[in-house]
Amino acid sequence: MYDSGLMATKKKSTKAFLSGNEAVAYGAYEAGLKVACAYPGTPSTEILECLAGFKDLDVQWSVNEKVAYEVALGAAVGGVRSLFACKHVGLNVAMDPLMTSAYTGISAGFVIVVCDDPGMHSSQNEQDTRWVSIYAKLPMLEPSSPREAKEHIKEAFKISERFDTPVIVRMTTRISHTKEDMLLARRETAKTAPLDINVEKYVMVPGYARKRHALVEKRINKLKKFAEKTRLNKVEINDKKLGFITSSITYNYIKEHYPDASYLKLGMSYPFCDDKIREFAKTVRKVVVMEELDPFIETHIATLGIKFKAKDESFMQGELTPDLIPAAVQGKVKKVKAAPKRPPRLCKGCPHFFSFATMKKLGLFVAGDIGCYTLATLPPASALHTCVCMGAGVTFNEGLRKAHPNKKIVGVVGDSTFVHSGVTGLINAAYNNAKGIIFILDNNITAMTGGQQNPATGLTIRNEKTKKLNLKKLCLACGADNVDVCDPTNRDEFNALVEKRINEDALSVIIAKHPCKLLR
Amino acid sequence: MNNKVCNITFGGIGGQGVLKASEIMGWAAVYAGYHVKKSEVHGMAQRGGSVESHVRFGRTIYSPLVAEGCTDYLVSFHRDEHDRLSVFLKPGGIDLIEHLDDANKAIESPRYLNTFLVGVLSAKLDIKKDCWMKAIKTVFRKEFVAANKKVFLDGWRLGQK
Ligand SMILES: Cc1ncc(C[n+]2csc(CCOP(=O)(O)OP(=O)(O)O)c2C)c(N)n1
């Protein structure tokens, strides 16, 4: 548990050694933040954990990202500065409110922090969130280091209020999980805006939304002008033979290899500062665009008619690590090295292992999703057969059974994941008369992301007691025919129960209940 | 302070305290007045998988990652991981692997391996003792500080040899 408040309030400027995520938290705190909401997800989790250490803030683990986004947005519409944080795939879950919040705008600063995971250190895909800024027509900032993350967050709140818009701050794993020394500053005080009724701004029915859309287009043009002037977009003219246009952590990697080159570092990656880019391209003899993952900057600069070099498309996959920079800059094809890393696996004595041993023994086809239990795909458990996204363990059981009604198919979901997005799938299964067993692997914690509380544990982000969600009653209310609670480490009892349920023509939920080994 | 950048690579497997070790290193360099960047991995990798952490300090640090062939000091907590990480070592860099067996013998419990190895490393670095002591105080909970200081000094003594 963080005790962030201690460090911040002691002195006027205190030196700290913070991760990018902690820097986001401190920056937001210094900017007068009041409310923060998130659902955990590596590499973003520590932002909220750190914020929870500031006792004067209202901070919550929400049930999922859509809920988190809406509560935080609601707070900003209500008139206090607020923040929503998530991992890249978490933003997908929040896309519905995100798209329309671009229309409504806010009454007090609202910042969306999204952490991408190039290299997929802890994720199921490698999506590049920068495209969201174009799609949603929202400004996006990209810090290149933890120090900058703290500064950019503060700037993001200013931009949000000045332009009446949510602002996206995009981090990557390397920035989120790098620690750097930095100075802390005093917290700014912000007043709560009055709760005015303004239906034309906050009720997005077609008639009002059309007017708001016009404002969105105007706003992006104003932001373009801002992008030309802001110090977030930094020009460094050194040797004019070679000039890099870059952003994010990549800037720091290139600086190691080409310390004498010239740079245009885009700290504001959307909208683009076209004039500045043209000017820079005129100043240097050769322009090289270097960015991690997708050709986001490249695609735009190509529309400006500027001649430039960029990385080969083989570099679109994976992290653009320092070792790869020279080859990428020279336009070579990426050489893939198979690093024989030790794969992660279920901890010794993990209760999930017992559940999967039973499923394997009975030869079940197991639809799964994301949590520690995904590791049961690998040997020695070798008993999980699909994983696409959170909650899909429940819905894939239903879908797969449509193709193979007579096969022994089951679904598996964790306690946190069930609350996040499994419960809707269970209601759907009951409503549409689907059959099979849904296992809720209830280890009483959100383990995969390092051990966060959730509604089913009955504790808040600050480990305070709250209303505890009763999973059994919930599943019965959803319409499951049977709901059993059984400890999977009682092997015989658990085996017998599963064997009985798999042979019934029913929709059954088995709550496999045993606490995670990592819980103290 | 000179212009030189010091690169250190720590590696082991989840649960060995690799990140705590690089945390002590990072704070000691902060207390010594350097610009410091330290990279780590969280989440899935920590479930018994490979864990690696880089610390770089000097006057100005750009990349938080050490490039291959550039590490001045390689601190391995596990033989297998050492084999994987030795590509980071620069020619003439210092490999602390020869101290791993001694370290494992010297400590009372595996959870002290991290502090012990940092102690060994400290003997090779030009950072004053009080910076290390302050770092240990910052990184550990109160009740564990004294024991870790002792382990650190045991490591430092071994590193002197
Ligand atoms: C939309 C989305 N949000 C967050 C995550 C990150 N994440 C993956 S699994 C998981 C929760 C796992 O908790 P639980 O379901 O309780 O299973 P456990 O790890 O405890 O076995 C989280 C937060 C994700 N992959 N996708």
Side-chain angles (χ1 to χ4, degrees), chain A residues 109-151:
Chain A
F110 178 51
V111 175
I112 301 157
V113 185
V114 53
C115 303
D116 281 5
D117 191 15
M120 291 181 271
H121 297 273
S122 254
S123 302
Q124 69 267 37
N125 79 22
E126 208 167 24
Q127 67 191 50
D128 190 330
T129 299
R130 292 178 298 169
W131 301 110
V132 170
S133 60
I134 297 183
Y135 183 38
K137 307 184 187 223
L138 290 178
M140 177 175 275
L141 310 188
E142 278 195 272
S144 71
S145 66
R147 276 186 193 173
E148 264 186 21
K150 189 151 92 66
E151 295 315 311

Side-chain angles (χ1 to χ4, degrees), chain A residues 39-42 45 65 87 89-93 122-124 352 369-374 389-390 413-418 420 441 443-449 452 454 516, chain B residues 47:
Chain A
Y39 178 77
T42 314
T45 310
E65 291 86 354
K87 70 182 290 170
V89 290
L91 199 67
N92 302 341
V93 178
S122 254
S123 302
Q124 69 267 37
H352 294 342
D369 56 31
I370 310 185
C372 278
Y373 47 97
T374 318
C389 64
M390 291 184 72
V413 65
D415 51 335
S416 183
T417 302
F418 180 70
H420 175 279
L441 305 182
N443 57 2
N444 203 38
I445 200 77
T446 315
M448 175 93 280
T449 40
Q452 290 74 32
N454 67 55
C516 172
Chain B
R47 298 277 168 278

Side-chain angles (χ1 to χ4, degrees), chain A residues 321-391:
Chain A
T321 51
D323 299 312
L324 299 175
I325 292 291
V329 170
Q330 288 155 29
K332 290 185 185 157
V333 174
K334 181 174 166 181
K335 281 203 198 97
V336 187
K337 277 184 292 182
K341 271 197 182 178
R342 182 185 293 257
R345 54 178 170 213
L346 290 172
C347 305
K348 224 175 171 179
C350 172
H352 294 342
F353 195 85
F354 292 86
S355 299
F356 285 104
T358 300
M359 293 179 228
K360 193 174 171 189
K361 190 170 152 226
L362 297 175
L364 308 182
F365 185 97
V366 181
D369 56 31
I370 310 185
C372 278
Y373 47 97
T374 318
L375 298 173
T377 289
L378 308 172
S382 310
L384 184 131
H385 307 118
T386 64
C387 166
V388 174
C389 64
M390 291 184 72

Side-chain angles (χ1 to χ4, degrees), chain A residues 7 15-19 42 46 121-123 144-147 173-174 176-181 236 249 251-253 255-257 319 321-323 337 339-347 371-372 374-375 447-451 518 520, chain B residues 5 12-14 22-31 33-52 54-56 59-70 78 80-81 84 87-88 141:
Chain A
M7 243 206 294
K15 191 136 194 198
F17 185 48
L18 301 179
S19 70
T42 314
E46 301 83 6
H121 297 273
S122 254
S123 302
S144 71
S145 66
R147 276 186 193 173
T173 304
R174 284 299 168 199
S176 286
H177 291 170
T178 287
K179 289 199 169 180
E180 186 178 16
D181 58 294
E236 293 169 27
I249 190 85
Y251 164 79
N252 282 306
Y253 295 159
K255 281 292 271 191
E256 296 280 344
H257 289 278
E319 246 191 302
T321 51
D323 299 312
K337 277 184 292 182
K341 271 197 182 178
R342 182 185 293 257
R345 54 178 170 213
L346 290 172
C347 305
C372 278
T374 318
L375 298 173
M448 175 93 280
T449 40
L518 299 179
R520 271 163 290 173
Chain B
V5 171
I13 58 178
S22 65
E23 186 78 5
I24 304 171
M25 176 68 251
W27 270 106
V30 171
Y31 285 131
Y34 290 105
H35 182 198
V36 188
K37 282 187 182 170
K38 147 176 147 79
S39 78
E40 45 187 62
V41 285
H42 298 188
M44 200 166 208
Q46 282 172 299
R47 298 277 168 278
S50 304
V51 174
E52 118 194 16
H54 300 189
V55 179
R56 308 187 68 219
R59 198 153 71 181
T60 306
I61 303 295
Y62 292 105
S63 167
L65 290 177
V66 179
E68 285 180 8
C70 292
H78 196 284
D80 297 354
E81 292 300 306
R84 188 175 70 81
V87 293
F88 281 104
R141 288 229 305 271

